[in-house]
């Protein structure tokens, strides 16, 4: 995990305020689901987001992060949220809809109109830069 | 009601699918399996406590260790991880000593060692250079820019190693033990140069003191052994020179292999453009508002771009664009040719100047490297401008740009090295001439006729001058051209000392010079293009007539691709020159350090995050591939020079030899024992070399053919997946239609559906329902493969079936019609979750307990669908066959099958750890006796849950439609019997029917499966059965209660060990007694599995249908 640093400066913590999924990450890793993290949760988060975490583990948590309504499927509403967060609402609804449809069309192997964990994993493990981007360096 | 149950069933169906796919993927996602294994931690510990068998203990310990090793891979909360880890450690500690003392010591030692390693690692991490810097850049610019710096750091590491190699084995020995400076001719500065040796001018051009230092080849002594220890410097020099290349190759290839392993062969035909753009778009490393903003913009761009591409996938190319592109390519080619010509011209000119002019100006001395650096700096920008003409897609543009720049760099290096070698050629020729001249004073023989005229004049001239040695080629050439001025020329030329003719030193000088100038230009370009531009834009924009920041000059972007190429180019120079200038790697280390600081500073202060997304990880291997390419190409000239040219006679470690590599032969000949010598001669003789070469070729061919076949199978598998998916979709559409019907219609509808489905199934299989055996034949292969997995689990299956039955009883008793459906609706959720993330749920025992009570209904389905694997299917099919002709008894038999197979599957999953399976058995048995569900390990629980649903489904169809559909399908047949025996026997019928419905479904599944047993298919297929069940759920069940218990008992007793024959007999005889029949049927599958675990199954299957049919006739 790089050079050891025991204390976070306020600046460094601020540095991670730009992630569009920050709230979501906190929710996923917190035990109560509200984003309030205990030390264990915090450790969890960094063990998953560290460079050394295995790909499948990362994929699993990435899935949870993108699954906004916690129903174990990434459905259209989740996708729309993702798109809007990523693009900061710059796409038109029409475009967003198109993108969501496309995503589901591409990755939905069982045709249930939403992405299950398996669909997601199958898709994400083949992504060339998932591993390199889905981690945090502290 | 029907609709509600239907939806519930659908949900469960889906969850089942998911679960199954998870299982399928288990091979890929190894951690999932490990989860499953780990779930039974508690059980394992229990077992340990009981067992004293050392082997078992050992296994346990290994298992616990495995847990410890993999704990990081599990998606558990930290607390649980810690708990499990602690537990595992305790167990290991407790039992490890029990085995043997040495093992205990080993373990302790390993533990200590691990701690030490960890400590050392933590310590080492502190010394990873520039970590914080890179992180900062990462947070500002994302992983793309950071990848440049990481690459830079990696190159730095390589150069450090190269430096150590050359430093420790060549430079240091020479400095310590070699002849001191000034002791020999080759180590002294010639007197004429002594005055200017310290002049900045000379130093700058790497002459003077620098030229006669360890920096260059020429300085190294030719003594075979130096120092007291007799260090063989020449040999070491040669070997290190080769080792530099070897090491670079190895480290590069290793890194590439690692990278490609990491990136999991992303098949190009996988189409996930949108997915990746969405889910992999955000760079979690970014932690800077500005970067975040530009990243968001980039994402928007890329998504829009993807949409556009999607909308007009085929853009008609107009003539205009094509002509523009042609022009652009012509321009690029011209500039490439031009740059190559210029370099060649400059080198040529500098040589001429050197010949004709005595004093060279600073410019003339550095002309070559300056021109080369200028070209490398300017041309890429020119290419970029040209690329704007082409109007390609940005990605294509980038690719073109990279290719062009790479070609440019290579062209530059090659034209330079060729020009240099040209010069070397002439130098070495003249040197040889001179040698002859000095020895015999007749160099007529070597000279061409045309020279003869001049010889007489040159020789006196030479002798007049101080050294009797005539040196350079100038004397010769001028002899041709300007005979009159010959004397003068020769005089001037002869002022050069012999060691000047050291061509190796010359090449080394040129490379080092090139490297230095390149560094200067890099610095200059960073300052000019980035820094001053940034300054201007920043401070002048207020008083300028347009917005400098957003319009023309803007801030510089960090061009990852070009910068990486530049690094590659730089490293290429080092490799090229390292043999002739042993200190080049050391210099490069300094250069890289400087570059690191300067670049990182420039990036952070004057650059803006780039708009264009250059995929970092994909580029990783791309960088390396370029580097490898470069290494190879840079090695060629060096190897060529070593092999082709005679080392200069007056300087360097190889002087006096005919070829540089002769040193190896020489050493072998003189310093090794004679036997080794003979061995070497044998080995190097054609007798050995040729066969070895042949062998290598054969090996290459073999490996290549294997790779090709693997690729082929890969493609085929992918095709299969594809076809599965498409067929899947068809199926889904059909199902959707059926479901709609289902929802609309009343009770009758469902049955029709079932018919439809069954018809479908028949369509799928060439031979429809009647002969189940045929089906089996169709897919013998798949059986064989799957059977293996099943074999181990078989013993357990028996108890499991028993267990399943009692469960059945419970649900039926509790709720007749509506209740089960409701429960199913709610529960599926829980179940689903639990199934999918077993590990999580199981990890926390409390959760498990919760789920159990609810689950019965849902679980069964899950397990069935999820687990349906070949064995079970077979069993099911057989049942179907029976069902066609047979009445009630047969159906009863089926039931058990279904339940059974779940269990088996479970065990399969567990198979990996034998211990766990053994545990299962135990628990199951307990259950049998006690009927207590909760006591079971989690696996068992699941099984139990499943049965109830099946029970419900069969009834409804029977009541109404028995008569109508008899003729049509076997299903109908099955219904009938039920109607006959509504009161008592009814339950059995249900079971049977139920089984039929199942069977049909399973058939479809199985067939599809066989055709291509990939994930996609199974999933969709699973659905149909559910639809059925939903409908059916509400109607039946009342009668079921009494039966199951009876069954349980019987099954317990009989199931243990019965051969096929025995089982078949009871069937025939036992038509009257349902119970017995049931037992026998259950047994069918079992014996098959037990007796003939793998191969005999086919035969068993064949046998099976017959008895069933018999039974039918009886009925």
């Amino acid at each position: 995990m790089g050079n050891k640093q025991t204390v976070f400066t306020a600046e460094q913590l601020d540095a991670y305020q730009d992630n569009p999924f920050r709230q979501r990450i906190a929710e996923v890793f917190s035990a109560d689901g509200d984003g309030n993290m205990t030390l264990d949760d915090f450790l969890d988060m960094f063990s998953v987001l560290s460079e050394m975490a295995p790909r499948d583990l990362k994929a699993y948590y990435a899935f949870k992060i993108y699954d906004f309504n916690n129903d174990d499927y990434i459905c259209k509403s989740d996708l729309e949220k993702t798109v809007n967060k990523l693009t900061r609402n710059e796409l038109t609804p029409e475009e967003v809809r198109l993108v969501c449809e496309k995503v589901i069309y591409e990755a939905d192997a069982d045709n249930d109109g939403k992405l299950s964990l398996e669909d997601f994993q199958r898709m994400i493990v083949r992504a060339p830069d998932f591993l390199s981007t889905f981690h945090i360096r502290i | 009601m029907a609709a509600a149950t239907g939806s519930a069933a659908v949900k469960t169906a889906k969850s089942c699918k998911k679960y199954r796919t998870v299982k399928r993927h288990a091979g890929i996602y190894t951690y999932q399996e490990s989860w499953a294994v780990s779930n039974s931690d508690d059980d394992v510990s229990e077992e340990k406590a009981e067992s004293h068998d050392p082997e078992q203990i050992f296994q346990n310990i290994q298992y616990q260790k495995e847990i410890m090793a993999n704990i990081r891979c599990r998606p558990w909360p930290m607390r649980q991880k810690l708990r499990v880890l602690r537990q595992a450690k305790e167990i290991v500690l407790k039992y490890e000593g029990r085995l043997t003392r040495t093992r205990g010591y080993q373990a302790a030692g390993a533990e200590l060692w691990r701690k030490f390693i960890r400590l050392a690692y933590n310590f080492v991490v502190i010394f990873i250079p520039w970590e914080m810097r890179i992180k900062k850049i990462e947070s500002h610019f994302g992983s793309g820019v950071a990848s440049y710096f990481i690459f830079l750091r990696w190159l730095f590491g390589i150069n450090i190693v190269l430096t150590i190699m050359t430093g420790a084995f060549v430079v240091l020995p020479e400095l310590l033990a070699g002849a001191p400076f000034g002791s020999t001719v080759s180590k002294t500065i010639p007197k004429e140069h002594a005055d200017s040796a310290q002049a900045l001018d000379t130093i700058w051009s790497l002459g003077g003191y620098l030229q006669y230092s360890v920096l260059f080849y020429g300085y190294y002594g030719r003594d075979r052994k130096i120092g007291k220890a007799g260090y063989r410097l020449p040999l070491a020099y040669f070997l290190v020179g080769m080792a530099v290349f070897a090491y670079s190759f190895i480290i590069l290839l290793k890194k590439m292999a690692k990278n490609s392993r990491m990136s999991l062969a992303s098949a190009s035909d996988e189409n996930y453009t949108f997915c990746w753009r969405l889910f992999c778009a955000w760079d979690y490393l970014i932690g800077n508002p500005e970067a975040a903003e530009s990243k968001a913009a980039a994402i928007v761009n890329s998504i829009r771009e993807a949409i556009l591409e999607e909308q007009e996938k085929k853009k008609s190319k107009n003539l205009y664009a094509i002509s523009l592109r042609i022009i652009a390519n012509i321009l690029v080619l011209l500039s490439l040719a031009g740059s190559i010509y210029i370099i060649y011209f400059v080198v040529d000119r500098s040589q001429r100047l050197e010949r004709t002019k005595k004093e060279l100006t600073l410019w003339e001395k550095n002309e070559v490297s300056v021109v080369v650096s200028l070209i490398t700096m300017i041309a890429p920008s020119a290419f970029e401008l040209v690329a704007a003409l082409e109007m390609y897609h940005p990605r294509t543009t980038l690719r073109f740009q990279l290719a062009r720049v790479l070609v440019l760099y290579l062209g530059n290096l090659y034209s330079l090295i060729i020009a240099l070698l040209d010069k070397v050629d002439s130098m070495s020729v003249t040197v040889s001439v001179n040698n002859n001249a000095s020895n015999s004073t007749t160099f007529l023989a070597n000279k061409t006729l045309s020279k003869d005229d001049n010889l007489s004049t040159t020789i006196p001239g030479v002798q007049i001058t101080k050294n009797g040695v005539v040196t350079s080629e100038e004397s010769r050439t001028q002899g041709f051209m300007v005979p009159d001025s010959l004397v003068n020329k020769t005089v001037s030329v002869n002022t050069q000392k012999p060691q000047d003719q050291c061509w190796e030193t010359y090449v080394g000088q040129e490379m080092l010079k090139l490297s230095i100038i390149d560094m200067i230009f890099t610095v200059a370009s960073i300052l000019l293009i980035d820094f001053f531009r940034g300054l201007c834009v920043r401070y002048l924009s207020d008083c300028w007539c347009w917005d400098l920041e957003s319009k023309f000059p803007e801030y510089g972007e960090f061009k990852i691709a070009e910068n990486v190429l530049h690094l590659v180019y730089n490293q290429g120079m080092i490799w090229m020159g390292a043999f002739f200038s042993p200190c080049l790697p050391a210099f490069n280390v300094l250069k890289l350090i400087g570059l690191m600081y300067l670049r990182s500073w420039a990036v952070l202060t004057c650059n803006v995050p780039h708009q264009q997304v250059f995929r970092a990880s994909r580029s990783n291997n791309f960088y390396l591939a370029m580097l490898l390419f470069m290494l190879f190409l840079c090695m060629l000239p060096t190897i060529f020079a070593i092999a082709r040219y005679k080392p200069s006679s007056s300087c360097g470690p190889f002087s006096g030899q005919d070829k540089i590599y002769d040193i190896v032969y020489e050493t072998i000949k003189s310093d090794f024992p004679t036997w080794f010598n003979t061995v070497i001669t044998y080995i190097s003789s054609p007798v050995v070399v040729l066969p070895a070469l042949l062998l290598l070729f054969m090996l290459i061919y073999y490996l290549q053919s294997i790779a090709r076949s693997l690729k082929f199978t890969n493609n085929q598998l992918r095709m299969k997946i594809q076809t599965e998916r498409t067929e899947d979709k068809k199926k889904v559409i059909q199902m959707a239609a059926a479901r709609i019907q289902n929802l609309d219609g009343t009770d009758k509808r469902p049955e029709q559906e079932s018919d439809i489905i069954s018809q479908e199934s028949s369509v799928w299989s060439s031979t429809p329902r009647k002969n189940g055996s045929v089906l089996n034949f169709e897919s013998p292969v798949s059986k064989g493969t799957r059977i293996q997995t099943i074999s181990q689990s078989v013993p357990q299956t028996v108890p499991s079936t028993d267990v399943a039955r009692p469960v059945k009883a419970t649900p039926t008793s509790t709720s007749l019609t509506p209740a089960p459906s409701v429960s199913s609706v709610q529960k599926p959720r829980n179940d689903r979750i639990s199934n999918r993330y077993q590990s999580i749920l199981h990890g926390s025992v409390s959760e498990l307990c919760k789920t159990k009570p609810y689950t019965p209904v849902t679980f069964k389905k899950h397990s069935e669908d999820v687990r349906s694997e070949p064995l079970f299917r077979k069993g099911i099919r057989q049942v179907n066959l029976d069902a066609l002709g047979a009445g009630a008894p047969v159906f009863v038999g089926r039931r058990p099958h279904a339940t059974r197979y779940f269990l088996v599957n479970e065990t399969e999953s567990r198979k990996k750890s034998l211990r766990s399976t053994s545990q299962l058995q135990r628990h199951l048995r307990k259950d049998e006796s006690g009927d207590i569900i909760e006591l079971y390990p989690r696996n068992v629980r699941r099984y139990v849950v499943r049965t109830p649903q099946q029970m419900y489904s069969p009834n409804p169809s029977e009541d109404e439609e028995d008569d109508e559909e008899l003729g049509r399908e076997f299903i109908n047949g099955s219904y009938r019997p039920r109607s006959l025996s509504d009161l008592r026997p009814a339950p059995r019928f249900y079971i049977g029917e139920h089984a039929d419905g199942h069977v049909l479904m399973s058939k479809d599944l199985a067939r599809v499966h066989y055709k291509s047993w990939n994930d996609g298919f199974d999933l969709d297929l699973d659905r149909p059965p559910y639809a059925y069940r939903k409908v059916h759920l509400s109607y039946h069940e009342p009668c079921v209660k009494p039966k199951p218990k009876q069954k349980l008992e019987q099954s317990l007793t009989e199931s243990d060990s019965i051969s096929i024959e025995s089982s078949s007999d009871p069937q025939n005889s036992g038509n009257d007694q349902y119970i017995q029949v049931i037992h026998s049927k259950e047994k069918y599958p079992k014996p098959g599995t037990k007796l003939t675990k793998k191969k005999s199954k086919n035969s068993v299957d064949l046998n099976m249908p017959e008895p069933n049919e018999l039974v039918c006739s009886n009925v």
Side-chain angles (χ1 to χ4, degrees), chain A residues 2-3 15 44 55-56 60 66 72-73 86 95 102 106 110 112 118 121 123 128-129 133 137-138, chain B residues 18 21-22 29 31 78 125 135 138 262 274-276 278-279 284 287 289 304 310 615 617 836 840:
Chain A
N3 294 359
D44 263 344
R55 188 206 318 264
D56 299 309
Y60 173 73
Y66 293 124
D72 295 323
Y73 290 98
L86 265 182
E95 285 170 322
K102 275 286 167 194
E106 284 170 2
D110 50 9
D112 55 0
E118 289 74 42
Q121 276 178 330
M123 179 269 294
D129 39 14
T133 56
R137 299 177 128 218
I138 27 170
Chain B
K18 307 300 176 192
T21 52
V22 174
Y29 311 107
Y31 73 99
M78 188 59 72
V125 154
K135 278 175 190 164
E138 254 176 358
M262 289 287 285
F274 277 93
C275 290
W276 288 347
L278 193 58
F279 293 123
Y284 283 72
R304 286 229 169 95
E310 193 63 31
R615 303 203 163 228
S617 62
R836 279 174 158 196
I840 302 174

Side-chain angles (χ1 to χ4, degrees), chain A:
Chain A
M1 292 262 284
N3 294 359
K4 285 271 160 94
Q5 185 182 8
T6 49
V7 179
F8 283 95
T9 64
E11 197 183 14
Q12 276 175 314
L13 288 179
D14 280 344
Y16 290 103
Q17 300 294 306
D18 297 299
N19 192 319
F21 305 109
R22 54 185 178 275
Q23 182 61 30
R24 191 57 205 147
I25 292 174
E27 283 170 18
V28 165
F29 286 101
S30 65
D32 61 358
D34 293 334
N36 305 319
M37 301 174 92
T38 63
L39 175 64
D40 281 350
D41 298 333
F42 194 71
L43 288 178
D44 263 344
M45 181 174 83
F46 280 108
S47 81
V48 170
L49 288 174
S50 80
E51 275 173 284
M52 300 169 69
R55 188 206 318 264
D56 299 309
L57 188 66
K58 278 175 182 287
Y60 173 73
Y61 279 101
F63 178 81
K64 297 201 84 171
I65 287 172
Y66 293 124
D67 176 20
F68 283 88
N69 53 10
N70 293 323
D71 64 349
D72 295 323
Y73 290 98
I74 293 182
C75 53
K76 279 213 169 153
S77 66
D78 295 328
L79 283 176
E80 277 166 16
K81 265 187 203 164
T82 309
V83 174
N84 284 331
K85 275 186 186 285
L86 265 182
T87 61
R88 307 191 173 183
N89 295 317
E90 284 194 33
L91 291 182
T92 64
E94 182 67 14
E95 285 170 322
V96 172
R97 196 181 49 76
L98 192 77
V99 170
C100 296
E101 272 171 14
K102 275 286 167 194
V103 167
I104 288 183
Y105 173 80
E106 284 170 2
D108 183 19
D110 50 9
N111 290 295
D112 55 0
K114 46 193 180 180
L115 305 187
S116 65
L117 177 61
E118 289 74 42
D119 295 333
F120 186 79
Q121 276 178 330
R122 194 176 319 155
M123 179 269 294
I124 209 77
V125 295
R126 285 177 176 76
D129 39 14
F130 171 67
L131 269 192
S132 68
T133 56
F134 193 75
H135 72 256
I136 290 179
R137 299 177 128 218
I138 27 170

Side-chain angles (χ1 to χ4, degrees), chain B residues 535-555:
Chain B
L535 276 185
C536 290
V537 171
R538 176 75 182 79
Y539 293 107
L540 288 184
S541 65
D542 294 337
C543 50
W544 205 262
C545 41
W546 68 79
D547 186 6
L548 285 176
E549 288 189 3
S550 60
K551 282 192 185 149
F552 169 55
E554 294 179 342
Y555 291 109

Side-chain angles (χ1 to χ4, degrees), chain B residues 752-765:
Chain B
Q752 290 176 350
E753 263 191 45
S754 64
D755 296 348
I756 294 170
I757 294 166
S758 61
Q759 286 174 351
E760 287 177 6
S761 67
S762 65
V763 174
W764 288 92
S765 62

Side-chain angles (χ1 to χ4, degrees), chain B residues 984-999:
Chain B
R984 265 302 94 161
R988 293 173 192 172
F989 292 113
Y990 305 10
I991 299 168
E993 258 203 50
H994 178 14
D996 287 353
H998 247 319
V999 174

